Amino acid sequence: MNVVLDHVEARIIGCLIEKEITTPDYYPMTLNALTNACNQKSNRNPVVAFEETTVVRGLDALQEKGLTRKVHETGSRVPKYRHAFRETFDLPDREVAVLCTLMLRGPQTAGEIRTHTERMCSFGGLDEVEETLQGLMGGEVPSVVKLPRQAGRKERRYMHLLSGVPELTVEEMTLPPEAATVQVRTDNEKIPRLEQDVEELRREIEALRCGMDEFKAQFE
């Protein structure tokens, strides 16, 4: 899949795919409806606040790439927009749904993908999700990548490659430390704290001693 989308283009395509499947009566979409879909506060990560002009620029770029079409429906006073993602890449419904979800929600585990694609397609189990992901990761030009395991997470996440190869953060590249390593680090942190506590106790004892000496001196 030789295409590179910026974050605006990916959000637009994801919204068009989602609305085509989940609310077909309102598809193709007007510019206003599409902008609202991009700016939804639910089912989106990250949440954005695109202006209509931003969406128009994104649509123009997508049309140049052959991924969107402007249509004029009879009786409609404004043009509407539809995607050409399915025709361009000739992907099965499940693969389209997975890519749509990753474009709208960011990196996710196989379990999260299964949950978030329920309205668009049906997976019988995680094995079917993983089979679909393997298909998207295969071929000469993969469209999905499996990210390194994050610290503190059991499952690895998947990310689409429609916006290019991701630059992994330190957090994403770091594996969880072994239990023994955690124990050693905890012990190492305890020693300085104990030394500090002892020093504070010494100062308090010395202050009490001085106070007692002054108190006794009043009666001598």
Side-chain angles (χ1 to χ4, degrees):
M1 190 175 291
N2 191 16
V3 63
V4 178
L5 307 176
D6 65 22
H7 73 286
V8 175
E9 295 163 9
R11 178 59 59 92
I12 291 172
I13 284 291
C15 289
L16 288 170
I17 294 172
E18 178 193 56
K19 299 305 181 184
E20 177 196 26
I21 300 171
T22 61
T23 55
D25 291 343
Y26 300 97
Y27 181 85
M29 304 178 72
T30 64
L31 176 61
N32 179 259
L34 180 55
T35 302
N36 290 336
C38 289
N39 295 339
Q40 274 184 214
K41 290 183 171 58
S42 61
N43 306 326
R44 302 287 185 267
N45 185 31
V47 173
V48 298
F50 293 162
E51 300 288 342
E52 285 193 352
T53 51
T54 301
V55 177
V56 168
R57 293 188 186 98
L59 285 166
D60 288 344
L62 287 166
Q63 188 165 347
E64 290 180 6
K65 296 172 182 176
L67 294 176
T68 59
R69 304 277 188 275
K70 181 187 289 188
V71 295
H72 298 271
E73 294 184 332
T74 303
S76 176
R77 292 180 294 179
V78 295
K80 296 185 178 182
Y81 300 89
R82 61 179 294 272
H83 71 85
F85 191 86
R86 208 182 302 269
E87 304 95 296
T88 302
F89 299 113
D90 191 27
L91 295 174
D93 290 344
R94 285 182 172 179
E95 293 191 359
V96 172
V98 168
L99 287 172
C100 171
T101 298
L102 293 176
M103 283 189 280
L104 293 180
R105 291 177 177 266
Q108 299 171 73
T109 65
E112 290 169 336
I113 291 171
R114 182 188 179 191
T115 299
H116 296 150
T117 54
E118 282 181 343
R119 294 182 64 199
M120 292 185 283
C121 68
S122 176
F123 286 105
L126 286 181
D127 56 335
E128 293 183 5
V129 177
E130 290 169 354
E131 181 181 349
T132 300
L133 288 164
Q134 288 298 324
L136 290 166
M137 290 189 291
E140 294 183 3
V141 186
S143 54
V144 167
V145 65
K146 193 173 187 178
L147 298 173
R149 186 178 289 107
Q150 282 185 297
R153 284 178 173 260
K154 291 183 179 180
E155 298 181 63
R156 293 169 65 178
R157 299 176 304 158
Y158 297 86
M159 180 177 183
H160 75 82
L161 292 173
L162 299 176
S163 298
V165 178
E167 293 184 4
L168 301 180
T169 64
V170 173
E171 179 187 7
E172 289 169 328
M173 292 187 291
T174 303
L175 296 177
E178 302 88 347
T181 301
V182 173
Q183 183 62 48
V184 170
R185 290 176 181 172
T186 301
D187 292 343
N188 290 342
E189 291 173 357
K190 285 181 180 177
I191 293 173
R193 287 202 299 267
L194 287 171
E195 291 176 344
Q196 183 178 353
D197 290 343
V198 170
E199 183 60 32
E200 289 178 357
L201 284 172
R202 285 175 179 169
R203 287 197 294 267
E204 290 176 4
I205 292 171
E206 184 63 29
L208 286 171
R209 183 180 291 114
C210 292
M212 287 297 295
D213 290 343
E214 291 176 359
F215 180 76
K216 290 177 180 179
Q218 296 177 7
F219 301 95
E220 292 178 355

